[in-house]
Amino acid sequence: MSKLFIPKIEFYITNVCNLACNECNRFNDLKFTGTQLWKDYEAVYEEWAEHIDFEKIVILGGEPLLNPSIIEWIEGVHRLWPKYGKQVLTNATMLDRVKGLKDACINNKTWIGISLHSERDLPEIEQRIEKFLGGIHKKIVGGCLNVSS
């Protein structure tokens, strides 16, 4: 039996965000709460993986790095769809605060996408990126941050 192929899926894993942007396109400026833990959805996604493949997978939120099971999301999505592109889309304000994030991304072939919410935040975000990357090589390509070890 062949699997259904869907070009892109977004796993929206939290409504929680540490920013309060006016007119947020995810409505997080309305102070929604709620987080989806990987363990609560794992069995459903295991069944999906038997029937559906995705070319690109994006884990996002609110701010996905505020989800206490973000590492489990990264590992679980990779385990179920190992050959496809995976991204965590973040505002980057928490990059250097999630223990094990860099290793989880490297080990699970997941890249970080950064959604810059305000140009005035760029110096702080650049510092967080530098701290997060440590000795990893980075370059900006087409507005995206690419990293390699």
Side-chain angles (χ1 to χ4, degrees):
M1 179 175 89
S2 65
K3 291 184 179 183
L4 176 65
F5 180 78
I6 299 173
K8 179 182 175 184
I9 188 166
E10 295 179 342
F11 291 105
Y12 191 86
I13 66 169
T14 186
N15 296 99
V16 178
C17 187
N18 58 325
L19 301 179
C21 304
N22 291 330
E23 300 178 23
C24 174
N25 71 352
R26 303 290 180 172
F27 303 109
N28 292 312
D29 55 334
L30 300 177
K31 306 290 187 241
F32 291 142
T33 60
T35 295
Q36 294 71 43
L37 301 176
W38 172 255
K39 67 179 177 141
D40 295 337
Y41 293 87
E42 183 175 13
V44 172
Y45 295 141
E46 285 175 343
E47 188 162 334
W48 280 23
E50 293 177 21
H51 304 285
I52 305 172
D53 274 334
F54 308 104
E55 184 176 4
K56 183 176 182 184
I57 300 167
V58 182
I59 300 170
L60 63 133
E63 174 47 53
L65 300 184
L66 290 172
N67 184 314
S69 66
I70 184 61
I71 302 300
E72 290 87 0
W73 274 97
I74 292 168
E75 293 170 346
V77 166
H78 178 71
R79 177 176 56 84
L80 297 176
W81 294 284
K83 63 183 180 179
Y84 297 102
K86 293 164 292 292
Q87 176 187 42
V88 174
L89 184 60
T90 174
N91 64 32
T93 60
M94 307 299 291
L95 270 179
D96 55 339
R97 297 181 185 177
V98 178
K99 184 177 179 178
L101 178 62
K102 182 168 70 172
D103 289 338
C105 288
I106 292 168
N107 295 335
N108 296 283
K109 298 178 175 73
T110 301
W111 71 90
I112 299 287
I114 297 172
S115 176
L116 183 63
H117 288 62
S118 171
E119 218 173 302
R120 73 176 185 278
D121 297 332
L122 190 55
E124 178 188 347
I125 298 304
E126 287 176 329
Q127 288 177 347
R128 290 191 185 281
I129 291 169
E130 288 295 330
K131 187 174 181 183
F132 175 73
L133 292 178
I136 293 180
H137 173 70
K138 69 171 185 168
K139 64 180 178 177
I140 304 296
V141 177
C144 295
L145 175 67
N146 291 329
V147 299
S148 60
S149 52

